[in-house]
Amino acid sequence: MPMSSGSGDKQDMHDQTGCFDPNTMDEGIENSQKDYNTNNNNINLEEDFKPSVEEELSYHNPQHLEDVSTYTNGFTPSPIDIEQQNLGLNIGGSYNNSSNNDMDNHLANEVYQNSTWDPSVQDMDYINHQEHHQLSEQQYQQFVETQNHNQSYNPSSILDPSYSSPDLLNLLRLPRCSASSLLTTPSNICLTNPTQKAPNFHSSMSFLGDLPIGSSDNTSGSSVLYDPLFPLNLPPQPPALRELFQSLPNGYSMPTSSRNGSIFGGGDEMEGDGDMGVLEFNRVTASVGKGRGKATKHFATEKQRREQLNGKYKILRSLIPNPTKVDRASVVGDAIEYIRELIRTVNELKLLVEKKRHGRDMCKRLKTEDDAAESCNIKPFGDPDGNIRTSWLQRKSKDSEVDVRIIDDDVTIKLFQRRKVNCLLFVSKVLDELQLELHHVAGGHVGEYCSFLFNSKVTEGSSVYASAIANRVIDVLDTQYAAGVPHTSRL
Amino acid sequence: MEQENYNRLNVSLDELGFNSENVSKTWKKRKEYYNEDGIRVFTAKNLGAERRRREKHISRLYILRSLIPNITKMTKDSVITDAITYTKRLQYEVDTLTQELHALEEKENLEERAEPKIAEYSAAEDLNNWGIQEEVQVENIGENKLWIKIIIEKNTGRFMKLMETMNSLGIEIIEANVTTIKGAYLIVTSIKGISFDVHQAKHLLADIIKSI
C-alpha cells in the first residue's frame, strides 16, 4: 500500500510491506522513526521518551484516539502501554500530516542525523525477514483473521523489513500481545552492550524480560527474541547468529536468561583470553582442536544454539496437557498427539458452530411443517458440507484416564480409574448435567481399578463438545477422590 | 569419526556443566580409553541403543513436521519452533470457537424460552406397546454378593438416582451392565456390601425403584 513518504528509503519499505495490515504499518513506520530518535539518543527509554512524547502530544489529532483505544483493549496498563498509547496518539497525529508537517520533518531530520545503523546489521535483518517472510506471513494473516480485527497486535508487522530498528519497536509492541506470557519466559536472547548504561535499561525494562538496546555508537546488530514471538522464529537463526557474533566488536556479550546477563564466551572469545568463559574453554580447546579463534567461536554459538533448542523443547512440553516423560523424543511424540487432537477439536467446534447457526433456522422451519416430535429426529440440513461431526480425545490425570469419542450424536466415554471411587455414580451425574442420554453402560471393578464404558446420545440441540465432557469427567473424578468421599463400607 | 567428534563435544559441554538429556545419558554409558595418540577419548558403550533412540527421535520429528502446515526451514530447530507456534495458534482457535459456541448457546437459550417445548418422549407408552414389565430379580452369588437384574421404565435421570440411592445405602457395585431397550433400562449388576438376604434385598430394591 503506497504511502506518502519523504524519502526514497521509506518508499522502498512501504512497497515491501504492501500486504500487511495498513493500520499497524502506518504506526510502525512512525514507530521506527521514533525509535531512531530515542534509540540513538536515549538508552533509558522510559525517562527520556515520555517527556518528548508528551511535548508532541500537543500536536496530536484527537481523531486518532480510536486507534489508541484498540491498543489498550483488554490489556492491563503498564508503563509501556502508556508509552505506546502516547506513541499511538502521536503517530496518528503526525501521520495525518495535516498540521504536523513540522514535527514530521523534525523527526525525519533527527532520524537521518542520528542514524548509525550498520548496513551489515540491516542486511541481517533483511535476510531473516526474507527467510521468515513466507512462513510468518501466512501464519499471521491467519492469526490476524482469527483475532478480533480491532486488536492492534499484528505480529506480521514486526517482520516488516522496513523496520530497521526492530528492537525498540518490538520492545514497545510486544508486551501488548500477551501479558501472561511475560511470566512464562524461559529463554530470551538479546545482545546488549554492557558498557553502556545497560543496568539502567535492564532495570527499567526488566518486566519485559531481557530486551536489547540498540547501541548508540556502532554495530549493535541487535536482534530480539521475545517470548511471545519466540516460537515465531524471529531473528536469530543460527547461521545468522553466528555471522552476527563474528561481527560484534569487543566487549559485546550474549547473555541468556539462564545466566541473567552474565558474560560468557561471545565477545570475550574473540579477544582471546577472557574471564570465566575462557577458563573452561582452555580445557576444551585441547580436545576440540587447534585454531582457537574459529573453533571456540563456533563452540560458543553451538552452545547457544543448543540451549535455545532445549528451551524450545521445554516450551513445547509446557503446552501439552499430559506430559509424561521429560526426554525429547516423548515430548515430540506427545506434541504429535496433541496437535492431532487440537485439529480434531477445532474441526468439531467449527462444525458445531455452523450447526448452531444454521440449525436454529432449520428447526424452526421444520416445526411448522411436521409434528414437533418428528422434527426432533430430523437432522438439520444445515451442515454446510455434510460432514459428520467426529471427535476423539483422551485426558489423563494422576489416577484416571478418560477417552471420549463422538461420532455424530453418539458419545462413547471410556473410563479407567486407579482408585476405588464410585465412578458410576459420579459419571452418570455428569452425563445428566451435560444432557447426555444414557444408553449403555458396562464395566466394573477389577481389583484396585475400575473401568467403565458409557454410551450415550447427545440430546438434540445440545452443543456439548468432546473436551468439555472429558474435562468434566476428569474433574469430577479427581475432586471426588480428593475430597475423600468415603467409599462404601465393606463387610 | 563423526560419532567421536560428537562425543567429544558432548564431553566438553558436560564438563562445562551443560546438561542436555542426551549428553548426560551418553555420558553415563561412556567408557574411557586412550587412543593411539595418548589423548583421552570417549565413546559410548552402547552405540546401538543410542542410535536407536536417535532414530526414534528423528522419525517423530518427521511426523511432527508432516502435521504442521507452514514450514520453511527443514532443520530440527525450526520444526520444534513451528510446532510451538502452530500449537499456540490451534489453542487460540479452540478458545475462540469455544467462546463463540457459548455465546451462541446463550443466545439460543434466551430465544427458546419464548418457544413452546417439544413434547417429551414418553417411555411409558413404549413399555406398554411392547409389553415390557418392570421387574426386579435378585440372586445370591457368594459371600455378601448379590446379583441383581432390574427392568425399569426409562426416564431422564432415573439411573443416576438409582445409583445415588444405592450408594447412600452403602451398596458397592462390583460390576454393572446397563442397556436401553424400547423405553426401558435393563440393569444387571453385581453388588456387595449389603447384608440382607435375597428376599429382603428384593423388597428393598422394589422400594428404591418406587421412590425414584
Side-chain angles (χ1 to χ4, degrees), chain A residues 37 61 74 89 177 299 306 312 332 413 442 463 471 490-491:
Chain A
N37 194 4
N61 191 332
L89 291 173
C177 57
F299 188 79
R306 213 182 305 270
K312 288 185 195 172
V332 175
I413 302 174
S463 65
N471 291 335
R490 281 158 237 189
L491 297 172

Side-chain angles (χ1 to χ4, degrees), chain A residues 16 92 103 119 136 153 180 214 216 309 396-397 441:
Chain A
Q16 286 158 8
M103 186 170 60
S136 328
Y153 172 58
S180 61
S216 71
L309 192 59
K396 295 183 187 167
S397 81
V441 179

Side-chain angles (χ1 to χ4, degrees), chain A residues 21 136-156 346 350 357, chain B residues 70 85-100:
Chain A
D21 185 350
S136 328
E137 186 193 336
Q138 279 171 306
Q139 273 184 339
Y140 295 110
Q141 287 306 321
Q142 288 169 324
F143 209 110
V144 169
E145 280 166 18
T146 59
Q147 287 187 8
N148 189 348
H149 62 271
N150 277 333
Q151 276 187 15
S152 63
Y153 172 58
N154 187 351
S156 59
V346 166
K350 278 188 185 163
R357 288 223 182 101
Chain B
N70 314 316
T85 324
Y86 189 54
T87 312
K88 283 190 178 171
R89 190 189 118 199
L90 284 178
Q91 282 176 335
Y92 182 79
E93 273 189 53
V94 167
D95 284 339
T96 321
L97 284 172
T98 319
Q99 284 174 16
E100 207 183 322

Side-chain angles (χ1 to χ4, degrees), chain A residues 155-171:
Chain A
S156 59
S157 63
I158 292 168
L159 303 167
D160 187 346
S162 72
Y163 298 162
S164 25
S165 61
D167 47 342
L168 272 184
L169 175 63
N170 294 343
L171 185 155

Side-chain angles (χ1 to χ4, degrees), chain B residues 9 57 89 104 106 113 120 154 183:
Chain B
L9 194 56
H57 180 47
R89 190 189 118 199
L104 280 177
E106 279 184 23
R113 273 177 215 145
E120 288 204 358
K154 170 181 165 187

Side-chain angles (χ1 to χ4, degrees), chain B residues 54 171 186 189:
Chain B
R54 255 210 312 280
I171 298 174
L186 169 63
T189 54

